[in-house]
Amino acid sequence: MVREEIVDGFHNAPHRSLYHALGLTKEELERPLIGIVSSYNEIVPGHMNLDKITDAVKTGVAMAGGTPVVFPAIAVCDGIAMGHKGMRYSLITRDIIADSTEAMVLAHGFDGLVMIPNCDKNVPGLLMAAARLNIPTIFVSGGPMLAGRVNGKKTSLSSMFEAVGAYKAGKLSEEGLRTCEERTCPTCGSCSGMYTANSMNCLTEVLGMGLGGNGTIPAVYSARIELAKHAGMQVMELVKKNIRPRDIMTEAAIRNALTADMALGCSTNSMLHLPAIANECGVKWSLDMANEISEKTPNLCHLAPAGPTYIEDLNEAGGIYAVLKEISKLGLLDTSVMTCTGKTLGENIANAVNRDEEVIRPVDRPYSKTGGIAVLKGNLAPDGCVVKRSAVAPEMLVHEGPAKVFDSEEEAIKSIYAGEIEKGDVVVIRYEGPSGGPGMREMLSPTSAIAGMGLDKDVALITDGRFSGATRGAAIGHVSPEAVRGGLIAYVEDGDIISINIPEYSVELKLSPEEIEKRKASVELKVKKDIKGCLARYAKLVSSADKGAIINEF
């Protein structure tokens, strides 16, 4: 045990002298040392309140007889990083966060951990670290932002990106754009729809690593402070009972999370993060699991950007436990799994109530009979690609059209804003994958531009990059193999016909095998040669998207 190696015993007196230098008393060192991993910073809106969450967790730990010790984790705001080179650094922080947390914990002798994430890669990075370290751990997020209000309607960050497209198309005035800018993000917290951050905070509850309300209680509610105190107290119970992350995040729990993902209509980024977490837990993952579970799981929620409701509405409707209670009626969950509450999932959700059947549809009246995410395969993506089916207009579930090909997000944006994309087109953006990007940038700017210009029901987009949870429309990402590793997407030309059939899980480039081989022999792959630092290391080590863009396979 790490504590015995670092804190206890006469031979560790030098180490304890350094703890005394921190102002810790003999009595505090005799109590369990609880590491509090705080993602507080002053650049990410979802993290600006984490100092208060951290203080509340410290109070809870101390109330329950532990000694809290805080250290930091980094975080990138995907919204601020969107659409420029900064987005290359978002996904890679998932591994930086996991690695740096591992280093801090194993160097300093903690008995338990409280993870305080909120946005995007911060949540899966800390879940990966929790699984890797496997000492008693609990999560409490900073909570979601309240929805904005523009012209009497609720709004969120995806609406802001679409407003830019509307402005470029002449459908919104400069004054209207400024109004949206000032009113769309009204509070601290992770952006208010079912985007990546909220998806992963909600799935943390399902995995059993966060208390009820972790994913849905708004950041500005005092109930969020109470939740943090309870998390601080509960970690002491986990230490006492020696309940560890890999006791909780079992294969059954991960399947539960994927099932809830389908019911909630989570971000497609969950198809990167769940396999990465599973890998750290020693659980085998196949992208084919997504369609298997989707076929059995109804989509019960249409949260923004798929619909007009927001995380605050899901909270009022009963939260994640109410969603789980609904899908448990179909026998789709293993409710016997252990959770951080010290109780089983079944015990946690036993008294949950669905208080709004429009926010959480009952299982006999779902938005659709199948789940929110689909994995497509075909010659264009033999190892798979991913689409948020619940956010696709019905008329785009089946589509065939000519390709408009771009070798970067910037090229695509320029063409979209120039009005060069026509109804029926399939926009192809390549060399944006985990290795080729490198960093697998999110494509919220082009998809939002297409939606804002009123083309989301007429134009599809396919990329070896990824999408924000804020994306809606026929946006197909994670194409595997990616272009830089010889995937067929590297050989698509303008005018080639691409066929998409989401209900049948297929995506095909309509070319003969002879023509494909001819192109492979004549086209040189575009490998970026000016990449340095952590991006260069990432490009060499990262797996394909269908495996979760992982660095270390265990």
Side-chain angles (χ1 to χ4, degrees), residues 117-135:
N118 211 25
C119 291
D120 297 296
K121 312 312 161 294
N122 200 245
V123 186
L126 289 177
L127 283 165
M128 289 163 63
R132 192 182 300 176
L133 292 161
N134 203 35
I135 65 173

Side-chain angles (χ1 to χ4, degrees), residues 290-297 369-371 389 503 505:
N291 290 344
E292 171 210 333
I293 289 175
S294 179
E295 283 294 327
K296 299 182 289 188
T297 308
K369 293 181 179 180
T370 52
R389 172 169 46 187
Y505 305 117

Side-chain angles (χ1 to χ4, degrees), residues 44 79 116 155 220 230 255 312 318 347 454:
V44 184
I116 308 178
T155 188
V220 295
H230 283 128
R255 289 184 69 90
E312 63 191 65
E347 290 173 307

